[in-house]
Each structure stands twice: as C-alpha cells, then as structure tokens.
Amino acid sequence: MENPPIFQALAERWREAGRLVPGDHDPDWARLTGEPPVFDPWRRHPRPQG
C-alpha cells in the first residue's frame, strides 16, 4: 500500500530537515534495543517463593 501524496511530501520535508520519519530505520533505536540489558548488582530483586 502506497502512502498518500500529502504524507510523501511531508516525509520528504522532514528528511530534508534531518528529522526521523515513521517507518524509516532509526540507527539510535536499533543500537539501544540491540544491546543486552546492563546488570545492576545493587538493584533489589524479589526473593524466590518456595
């Protein structure tokens, strides 16, 4: 499904201004979600029940 011409024009203006456009690849998001979570030894974890 192709986007309407008004969205295409707006998306092009956003890209020219250096803004992120919905549906485009975001390298910062990919980097942040691609890394494993950081282990924090001082964080309190619930004790297992049993």
Side-chain angles (χ1 to χ4, degrees), residues 27-49:
D28 291 329
W29 180 254
R31 180 182 53 81
L32 290 170
T33 59
E35 296 176 1
V38 177
F39 176 71
D40 182 358
W42 299 105
R43 181 175 165 216
R44 294 181 60 92
H45 297 280
R47 290 188 169 197
Q49 299 294 324

Side-chain angles (χ1 to χ4, degrees), residues 5-42:
I6 192 167
F7 178 80
Q8 294 291 1
L10 179 60
E12 190 58 37
R13 289 185 70 179
W14 282 6
R15 284 186 193 100
E16 289 171 0
R19 296 179 181 165
L20 183 64
V21 176
D24 284 358
H25 176 72
D26 182 355
D28 291 329
W29 180 254
R31 180 182 53 81
L32 290 170
T33 59
E35 296 176 1
V38 177
F39 176 71
D40 182 358
W42 299 105

